[in-house]
Amino acid sequence: MEEMKARRVVDALRARGTDADLAHVGVHQVGVTVKLSDGREAIWDSDDTASLEAQVMRDGDLVGFVPEIEGSGDYTEEQIVDAIVRTDYDQPIATRRSSAPAPEPALPVKGGLFRRFMDGFRYR
């Protein structure tokens, strides 16, 4: 996923109350990390492919995954946010809920006041 797109997805997820952050997994590989309530985290789209999929990790070990979502290579950012929010991570092979859960109270934007300075004014 392109970094600025990933940043916008993270911001949209945090606005819905989902604890998300950027995942820097390589030199130019960026994805979205969603922290789950039981200490696991889902790392979305960090492998530089067009489609949307995720690995579910706990303490660095793979404990589950989200299979590639059919047609997700053409998703808009809103559709990506919806797909991430609707995912049910309870089973090792995650499934998608038929509807999105109700939004939680918004979380603050990561980076706070100095976000633009730390990122070198790369915003559009």
Side-chain angles (χ1 to χ4, degrees), residues 44-95:
W44 283 88
D45 203 29
S46 61
D47 59 357
D48 274 347
T49 60
S51 60
L52 192 61
E53 74 282 326
Q55 299 82 34
V56 180
M57 310 290 280
R58 178 183 287 134
D59 298 327
D61 294 325
L62 182 68
V63 295
F65 68 97
V66 180
E68 179 180 328
I69 299 173
E70 186 81 23
S72 61
D74 299 322
Y75 275 13
T76 64
E77 291 173 17
E78 293 80 20
Q79 290 173 311
I80 292 171
V81 169
D82 181 62
I84 291 172
V85 168
R86 289 191 327 147
T87 300
D88 182 6
Y89 302 97
D90 290 339
Q91 300 298 320
I93 300 174
T95 58

Side-chain angles (χ1 to χ4, degrees), residues 6-50:
R7 188 174 304 279
R8 290 187 298 269
V9 168
V10 166
D11 289 345
L13 287 167
R14 293 187 69 78
R16 286 187 49 93
T18 302
D19 191 4
D21 200 356
L22 285 179
H24 294 279
V25 294
V27 177
H28 296 289
Q29 289 180 302
V30 178
V32 175
T33 299
V34 176
K35 293 185 179 30
L36 306 174
S37 61
D38 59 356
R40 297 177 300 157
E41 62 183 19
I43 304 170
W44 283 88
D45 203 29
S46 61
D47 59 357
D48 274 347
T49 60

Side-chain angles (χ1 to χ4, degrees), residues 91-110:
Q91 300 298 320
I93 300 174
T95 58
R96 291 179 55 182
R97 298 179 186 104
S98 58
S99 63
E104 300 287 327
L107 298 172
V109 175
K110 284 288 204 176

